[in-house]
Amino acid sequence: MAVGEVLQQLRAEYGCDLAALVGVDGLLIEAATAEGLDAESVAANAVSGLLMMEALGRELQETAARQALIEFADHVVLVAPLGGDVALVLVASGESNLGRLRLAVRRIRPRLEAEVAAL
């Protein structure tokens, strides 16, 4: 299954407004997005939080973070580094089941990491 299909599947099955692969430089690699959402801007801003995650991990003497979850009133943003300077960014409604989103990332991560390695 191609990266775009995997992202579309995430969007469809988990009700995400955005499922995207983004380089840590903020450049959008691939996205499945709802109409009216600026995937490039949202993804670039979401991935900028990876620098903070890395700094906090170093301070705590931890390994790389597995994911970050940010809750707003109307949206939830999940950022998961995939290795190779690429991250998965999911944006869902604020009423989404957070455990279900985290489980989705855990399940899809190996497939996305393999796809990213092939890019």
Side-chain angles (χ1 to χ4, degrees), residues 34-55:
E35 191 172 323
L37 189 65
D38 184 350
E40 289 187 22
S41 292
V42 171
N45 283 302
V47 83
S48 70
L50 286 176
L51 296 174
M52 181 273 308
M53 288 170 48
E54 289 174 3

Side-chain angles (χ1 to χ4, degrees), residues 3 10 36-37 43 77 94 100 116:
V3 172
L10 271 171
L37 189 65
V77 179
R100 193 165 180 253
V116 165

Side-chain angles (χ1 to χ4, degrees), residues 1-77:
M1 186 180 293
V3 172
E5 293 171 331
V6 173
L7 297 175
Q8 284 289 1
Q9 179 184 359
L10 271 171
R11 234 194 111 222
E13 288 183 19
Y14 298 94
C16 296
D17 295 328
L18 172 69
L21 287 184
V22 187
V24 294
D25 56 3
L27 294 177
L28 190 63
I29 297 169
E30 185 80 40
T33 183
E35 191 172 323
L37 189 65
D38 184 350
E40 289 187 22
S41 292
V42 171
N45 283 302
V47 83
S48 70
L50 286 176
L51 296 174
M52 181 273 308
M53 288 170 48
E54 289 174 3
L56 186 56
R58 282 191 304 274
E59 188 65 31
L60 296 171
Q61 298 177 350
E62 284 284 347
T63 58
R66 290 187 298 238
Q67 51 184 241
L69 189 62
I70 306 159
E71 292 183 70
F72 297 98
D74 296 327
H75 293 92
V76 173
V77 179

